[in-house]
Amino acid sequence: MLKLKSLVVVAVSAALSACGGSSGGSSSSNTPVEPVTPPPTFTGQFVDSPVQGLNYQTVSQSGMTNENGEFIYQNNETISFSIGGIAFPEIAAQSLITPMTVFSTEDIEAVEVVNMIRLLQSLDVDGQPDNGIEISQTTHELAANLDIDFSSPDFEDSVSALIVDSNVVNTYLISAEQALYHFRETLGLIDSTPRDECGNDHPMVGATGVFETFAHGVMGEARVIDNCTIEISNFSYDGLGPDVFFYGAIEHDYEGATGFSMGEQLNGRVYMNETIVVTLPESRTLDDINTISVWCVDFAADFGSLRLAL
């Protein structure tokens, strides 16, 4: 024990000598040391909707985006985002980053952009990107060894197992149409204000109908509210069909020339006694519809349909 104490004394004495210190007198300067001011940091946001749970990395900062999609960076840095091993291209850090920013394009329909928003929205924990997108820690762990090419024609196959295993609401990669609709809403490219010409003088206003169930537990009823709006109430659907929409048509001709989709895709989540308001497309009127279906585009299948009548 005495030997150990001696070594400690020697070590301390050596350290003092190395620093210019000694037991007698002092030659230290009284010049004040200027404190080093760290460079300022800035807060940016990653948006499809705000995306929570993306890993990010700059030279000075690292972490995970918060519930507002926010990350921290310093001026003139580059930044990279990732989900497990799925690395996004490195870009200049800035206050607002979208999938279009990541791929340095202004084309909202560029294949890389579309595949990224499809993946982000599909991996959202609750399957409702309108309230924000959350990527779970489970997804990061499952994707640890994945290396994905967002421009690959095999992109869907390369991420399908990740979506299923992540135990999120969606069980498959959502369609490009659905993902783009949401992304356009986020960017303010869809005018959500009521149509000026939407009166209530059409003879079909007030017409109603009840869904006949054919598959996937489709139930509910419809009512024509005005010249371009239909309310679907008490709506139930198990969410298991791919690429499913409300479709309007004349005499159930959903696959033919009179068929058209209304509203957003029914995107894989379960609906239970819910109310959904759909607006007719700009190019359609109540003259173009007397039947409605919960229609599966991929398989041209009617999961449940009704006829509107007064």
Side-chain angles (χ1 to χ4, degrees), residues 40 57 70 72 74 133 135 171 178 181 203 225 251 268 293 296 304:
Q57 177 80 51
E70 293 172 335
I72 306 299
Q74 293 180 0
I133 294 171
I135 308 301
T171 57
Q178 178 188 346
Y181 185 93
I225 295 175
E251 299 300 329
S293 170
C296 176

Side-chain angles (χ1 to χ4, degrees), residues 80-96:
S80 59
F81 297 90
S82 63
I83 301 172
I86 305 173
F88 299 1
E90 187 176 63
I91 55 172
Q94 51 200 282
S95 60
L96 180 65

Side-chain angles (χ1 to χ4, degrees), residues 186-254:
T186 298
L187 298 178
L189 299 179
I190 293 178
D191 183 5
S192 60
T193 58
R195 285 161 46 174
D196 292 338
E197 70 275 17
C198 195
N200 60 0
D201 57 349
H202 193 281
M204 286 291 289
V205 172
T208 61
V210 177
F211 281 103
E212 182 179 0
T213 305
F214 299 133
H216 294 289
V218 168
M219 292 187 291
E221 53 200 67
R223 179 172 65 91
V224 179
I225 295 175
D226 55 35
N227 290 1
C228 59
T229 310
I230 299 172
E231 179 184 79
I232 312 294
S233 59
N234 300 315
F235 178 66
S236 296
Y237 163 55
D238 67 11
L240 297 179
D243 209 14
V244 177
F245 293 83
F246 290 115
Y247 254 62
I250 299 295
E251 299 300 329
H252 299 292
D253 184 27
Y254 308 111

Side-chain angles (χ1 to χ4, degrees), residues 15-59:
L16 288 172
S17 298
C19 294
S22 68
S23 59
S26 172
S27 59
S28 61
S29 171
N30 293 323
T31 304
V33 177
E34 291 290 335
V36 177
T37 303
T41 59
F42 303 89
T43 299
Q45 187 181 36
F46 193 106
V47 169
D48 177 331
S49 283
V51 182
Q52 175 182 359
L54 285 179
N55 286 328
Y56 70 89
Q57 177 80 51
T58 74
V59 171

Side-chain angles (χ1 to χ4, degrees), residues 122-142:
S122 297
L123 290 174
D124 181 26
V125 170
D126 69 0
Q128 300 185 59
D130 289 345
N131 64 14
I133 294 171
E134 180 184 356
I135 308 301
S136 71
Q137 184 59 40
T138 297
T139 296
H140 279 279
E141 293 168 1
L142 290 168

